[in-house]
């Protein structure tokens, strides 16, 4: 099958090799006989809610985030409509922050958000940096997710929000709640860079499966050997555990 992918702001949001997540989607789909049609969406371009099966938003520096924030916020209705219709989405760090209701800086400045994820982000005094290990439940599929965080923002989830996972080691959304990321339907937001997906094949395939369902397929994916992926996951998990957990 052909999976239609909207890659939002690839020229602006690609810190810590986040573009590698697209490469993982493309390779893991191809190994099952599927193909990705990737469309870069830059400021001012049209994004039709029903046109894509998967949306990807990477992370960026503060300057790039401030530049694209108004454009992303203006797409809020389209993005929420797409996710409500079953479109899969992955947003990393800056993309995760800006898909909430907004970001407030220490100086009182504010960047608007798209309003997909039920959270707000405020700037903290200290950056939260290091390896992260999560316990994750993806609609009954339990797994661990690993990655690297480096953010000054403190993302505050609404009381009824669904986090991506529970912190085993690392800081997560705000350094105190014990949770990391957020989920709305088949949309996932997270602070984890690295890039995220090479070390987390279960998460990559969960998102691919949701995208395939939106494209009209069953969402079932044949298992892959994943020897290197499992080793990379184990190494990252070991580094995170060496921090002593929370």
């Amino acid at each position: 099958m052909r999976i239609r992918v909207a890659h939002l702001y690839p020229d602006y949001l690609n810190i810590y090799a986040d573009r590698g997540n697209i490469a993982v989607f493309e390779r893991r789909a191809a190994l099952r006989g599927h193909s990705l049609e990737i469309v870069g969406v830059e400021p001012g371009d049209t994004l039709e809610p029903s046109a894509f099966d998967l949306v990807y938003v990477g992370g960026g520096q503060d300057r790039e985030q401030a530049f694209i924030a108004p454009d992303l916020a203006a797409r809020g209705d389209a993005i929420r409509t797409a996710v409500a219709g079953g479109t899969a989405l992955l947003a990393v760090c800056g993309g995760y922050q800006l898909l909430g209701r907004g970001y407030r800086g220490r100086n009182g400045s504010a960047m608007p958000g798209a309003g997909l994820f039920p959270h707000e982000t405020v700037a903290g005094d200290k950056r939260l940096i290091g390896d992260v290990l999560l316990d994750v439940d993806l609609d009954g599929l339990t797994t661990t997710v690993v990655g690297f965080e480096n953010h000054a923002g403190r993302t505050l989830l609404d009381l009824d929000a669904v986090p991506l996972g529970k912190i085993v080691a690392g800081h997560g959304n705000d350094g105190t709640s014990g949770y990391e990321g957020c989920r709305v339907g088949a949309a996932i937001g997270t602070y984890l860079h690295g890039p995220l997906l090479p070390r987390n094949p279960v998460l990559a395939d969960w998102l691919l499966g949701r995208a395939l369902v939106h494209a009209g397929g069953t969402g079932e994916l044949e298992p892959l050997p994943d020897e290197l992926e499992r080793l990379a996951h184990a190494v990252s998990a070991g580094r995170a555990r060496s921090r002593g957990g929370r």
Side-chain angles (χ1 to χ4, degrees):
M1 297 193 66
R2 179 172 59 93
I3 302 169
R4 301 160 297 175
V5 179
H7 185 175
L8 271 59
Y9 317 115
D11 290 341
Y12 298 95
L13 301 182
N14 181 37
I15 197 170
Y16 297 135
D18 286 337
R19 193 189 301 267
N21 290 320
I22 290 287
V24 170
F25 282 134
E26 193 164 28
R27 179 59 175 165
R28 296 186 73 81
L31 289 171
R32 279 75 169 240
H34 306 298
S35 64
L36 264 62
E37 178 185 338
I38 303 167
V39 177
V41 180
E42 299 293 359
D45 292 346
T46 299
L47 172 65
E48 295 294 338
S50 60
F52 300 99
D53 308 305
L54 174 65
V55 175
Y56 178 66
V57 192
Q61 301 282 6
D62 290 348
R63 181 178 63 179
E64 283 75 18
Q65 287 183 226
F67 176 73
I68 64 93
D71 188 85
L72 182 58
R75 301 179 189 276
D77 287 344
I79 292 172
R80 291 192 299 272
T81 298
V83 170
T87 297
L89 180 146
L90 175 62
V92 176
C93 202
Y96 169 44
Q97 292 173 341
L98 293 179
L99 281 173
R101 289 190 295 272
Y103 186 104
R104 187 173 72 253
R106 286 192 297 272
N107 62 359
S109 63
M111 286 187 283
L116 170 65
F117 293 120
H119 66 59
E120 296 179 357
T121 302
V122 298
D125 294 326
K126 179 183 177 181
R127 298 193 72 83
L128 305 179
I129 304 173
D131 294 286
V132 179
L133 173 63
L134 308 176
D135 283 331
V136 172
D137 186 329
L138 299 170
D139 299 330
L141 173 63
T142 58
T143 186
T144 54
V145 168
V146 296
F148 183 83
E149 62 180 342
N150 183 353
H151 55 100
R154 306 299 193 263
T155 294
L156 310 173
L157 300 184
D158 291 357
L159 291 178
D160 58 349
V162 178
L164 169 61
K166 185 176 181 180
I167 293 285
V168 177
H171 300 289
N173 283 330
D174 54 16
T176 59
S177 67
Y179 294 107
E180 203 286 324
C182 190
R183 263 194 61 200
V184 174
I188 287 177
T190 178
Y191 273 114
L192 302 187
H193 288 288
L196 170 69
L197 296 182
R199 293 175 282 184
N200 295 287
V202 174
L203 181 62
D205 282 353
W206 186 85
L207 285 161
L208 271 179
R210 291 301 192 93
L212 281 166
V213 169
H214 188 267
T218 65
E220 296 181 3
L221 292 167
E222 296 178 4
L224 298 176
D226 287 338
E227 291 96 340
L228 291 177
E229 290 84 353
R230 285 196 294 269
L231 178 60
H233 184 100
V235 169
S236 294
R239 285 203 305 253
R241 289 185 187 279
S242 70
R243 298 173 58 174
R246 291 190 52 78

